[in-house]
Amino acid sequence: MAGIYLHIPYCNTKCIYCDFYSITNHSTKVDMIDCLIKEIESKAIELKDKKFDTIFFGGGTPSLLLPSDLNKLFNVLYSNLNISSDSEISIEANPGTMNRKKLESFKELPINRISFGVQSFNNADLKFLTRIHSGRQAIDSIKEAQDAGFNNINLDLIFALPGQSLKGWEKNLETAVKLNTQHVSAYSLIFEEGTPLIKLYKLGKVRPADEEKERKMYDFTMAFFEEYGFNHYEISNYAKPGYECRHNLKYWMHKEYISFGPSAASYINDYRWVNVRDVNEYIKRIKSGTMAYDFIEYIDYDKSIDEYIMLGLRSTGIDINILRERYKIDFFSKYKSAAELLIKNNLAELKADTFYLTSKGYAVCDEILATYF
Ligand code: SF4
């Protein structure tokens, strides 16, 4: 089954580290939603043989949408696409845009998973990251979501912030597990090109955490979540058993997904395409009946196998049956010596026909990929 992604490109302010496509001028919102609806309708025939079991509202800040906007989108999704009744339906939420009433309204929609962009519970960290909420607001939002009946909640955290101590990071993790959410994504801070953060770095105004400290924080995170019974199922993602994000697993397991909205990427029938980034250009194209994509590429055998191995080793592993049936590769002849060496050094395991990295292996995943695959 395939996944559905909708990109909602509006935020209240732009965080200094963020390179996702999002804008703070909301004047195009009504038009953009109409265009999302048109784009979904325009794909209905092409997708009539596909079945979907995940929907993900990402952004930007999709929690800025009104429940009535989301309701319109659900109506058009369910009437045009073949969506399974037990689908995982996620929405990203910024704690600075949530309140009890909104969460209760979201609960009345088909949404069954909320992913909170918390990043830190420490107000100094949040100020540095230019987030619009406090640590207290993040805690309150998660508790309100639980009170509203949500029992599949993720929170995103960022570590290796300039000046952040290991103790400070540990405190964030302790606060996270006390909230008893089912999933945590813990990313290190990346200095992305084109962001205000990298400009500050180039001006010498901020210094990234040193590599050794970052590695210590990552090692601590892995051990911490293991102790609390989380499954480390992707380099940066930890879930209570059964709560792994089914939508993100589509990306990581090289499965199909269709996406709608500006800058959204799709992968269907061996083609990958990415919509234009600019919301005005997106609206113009959809209104005039022109295709919204900026580029499209055919994923041939070589690209597909590279992606399958790279994504698999970063997450749930390589299924040796898929390797044989889809790619005509015998895992044991092609990767025997690499696999034996990695298993011997506790960097990988082979169980139930799946070859996957251990937590120790995740920590050096890039080196493993570059050296052996
Ligand atoms: S709220 Fe999220 S999408 Fe919006 S600017 Fe901040 S990090 Fe980016």
Side-chain angles (χ1 to χ4, degrees):
M1 290 217 227
I4 299 169
Y5 174 82
L6 294 97
H7 190 80
I8 310 298
Y10 303 105
C11 290
N12 278 348
T13 59
K14 188 80 191 166
C15 305
I16 54 163
Y17 59 91
C18 176
D19 77 333
F20 293 116
Y21 176 63
S22 69
I23 50 174
T24 53
N25 177 345
H26 299 186
S27 61
T28 51
K29 198 180 102 182
V30 172
D31 266 356
M32 212 283 302
I33 292 172
D34 285 347
C35 287
L36 274 180
I37 290 172
K38 277 204 176 75
E39 196 187 8
I40 296 165
E41 287 169 342
S42 74
K43 291 276 190 292
I45 294 179
E46 194 183 317
L47 298 171
K48 71 178 185 336
D49 297 330
K50 303 280 178 197
K51 184 132 199 210
F52 300 91
D53 68 347
T54 65
I55 303 176
F56 196 104
F57 290 87
T61 307
S63 56
L64 281 172
L65 291 185
L66 299 172
S68 55
D69 297 328
L70 288 162
N71 202 25
K72 263 202 245 171
L73 291 167
F74 279 122
N75 286 338
V76 76
L77 284 167
Y78 279 98
S79 52
N80 284 277
L81 303 175
N82 189 0
I83 299 169
S84 159
S85 58
D86 70 341
S87 292
E88 175 195 88
I89 302 177
S90 308
I91 188 164
E92 288 178 341
N94 184 321
T97 64
M98 299 310 286
N99 57 50
R100 192 174 285 273
K101 197 163 162 260
K102 196 176 217 183
L103 283 157
E104 284 166 0
S105 314
F106 280 11
K107 190 71 186 86
E108 283 166 21
L109 297 166
I111 297 166
N112 53 30
R113 182 175 185 274
I114 301 195
S115 176
F116 282 101
V118 171
Q119 320 311 356
S120 175
F121 294 102
N122 175 299
N123 288 339
D125 293 348
L126 292 167
K127 192 167 174 213
F128 168 75
L129 293 169
T130 59
R131 300 288 300 176
I132 57 169
H133 56 87
S134 64
R136 185 71 251 166
Q137 269 176 296
I139 292 171
D140 289 346
S141 286
I142 291 167
K143 287 187 174 162
E144 283 166 5
Q146 289 165 331
D147 290 346
F150 286 101
N151 58 9
N152 190 356
I153 296 176
N154 168 59
L155 56 93
D156 286 344
L157 293 173
I158 302 181
F159 65 95
L161 304 178
Q164 187 181 38
S165 64
L166 185 56
K167 266 259 145 307
W169 174 238
E170 286 176 30
K171 218 171 155 208
N172 270 338
L173 295 182
E174 277 157 16
T175 309
V177 292
K178 274 194 204 134
L179 285 165
N180 209 17
T181 64
Q182 291 70 24
H183 194 286
V184 179
S185 300
Y187 301 98
S188 63
L189 181 67
I190 308 285
F191 286 60
E192 302 278 6
E193 275 307 328
T195 60
L197 181 62
I198 197 127
K199 278 192 200 134
L200 290 173
Y201 166 70
K202 286 177 182 165
L203 290 169
K205 295 195 172 162
V206 289
R207 284 203 7 233
D210 66 63
E211 268 182 38
E212 199 193 322
K213 194 200 248 181
E214 186 175 336
R215 175 58 59 88
K216 271 192 188 152
M217 286 180 170
Y218 184 67
D219 290 347
F220 179 85
T221 308
M222 289 190 290
F224 182 88
F225 283 119
E226 191 182 340
E227 194 186 322
Y228 280 92
F230 283 75
N231 174 17
H232 187 189
Y233 74 107
E234 195 269 348
I235 287 190
S236 307
N237 284 276
Y238 306 84
K240 291 273 174 69
Y243 289 94
E244 293 80 8
C245 176
R246 284 160 55 191
H247 184 81
N248 284 340
L249 279 169
K250 307 270 183 220
Y251 305 134
W252 301 330
M253 294 170 82
H254 212 240
K255 298 215 166 148
E256 293 187 310
Y257 47 90
I258 183 77
S259 301
F260 304 102
S263 81
S266 303
Y267 174 56
I268 295 278
N269 295 336
D270 295 328
Y271 280 89
R272 176 170 299 115
W273 65 92
V274 180
N275 280 355
V276 286
R277 248 172 111 83
D278 180 75
V279 73
N280 291 305
E281 179 64 18
Y282 170 77
I283 290 170
K284 196 170 115 195
R285 291 215 197 172
I286 297 286
K287 280 193 170 169
S288 66
T290 320
M291 302 302 264
Y293 61 75
D294 187 24
F295 79 87
I296 181 161
E297 65 172 335
Y298 177 65
I299 306 298
D300 63 15
Y301 173 88
D302 287 343
K303 267 194 204 132
S304 182
I305 178 77
D306 280 356
E307 288 183 5
Y308 179 71
I309 288 180
M310 190 264 290
L311 294 167
L313 287 184
R314 292 176 65 88
S315 57
T316 49
I318 302 168
D319 182 328
I320 57 180
N321 297 315
I322 290 184
L323 217 51
R324 189 178 52 244
E325 282 151 29
R326 195 192 294 167
Y327 297 109
K328 314 291 173 234
I329 288 177
D330 179 49
F331 180 81
F332 295 104
S333 7
K334 186 148 187 195
Y335 300 113
K336 187 168 184 280
S337 50
E340 280 174 357
L341 189 68
L342 294 170
I343 291 170
K344 192 170 147 219
N345 288 296
N346 296 326
L347 294 166
E349 284 187 25
L350 179 62
K351 253 190 220 155
D353 287 347
T354 300
F355 177 77
Y356 60 94
L357 297 188
T358 58
S359 287
K360 195 177 159 202
Y362 280 150
V364 286
C365 180
D366 289 344
E367 290 90 322
I368 292 174
L369 281 165
T371 313
Y372 302 108
F373 295 90

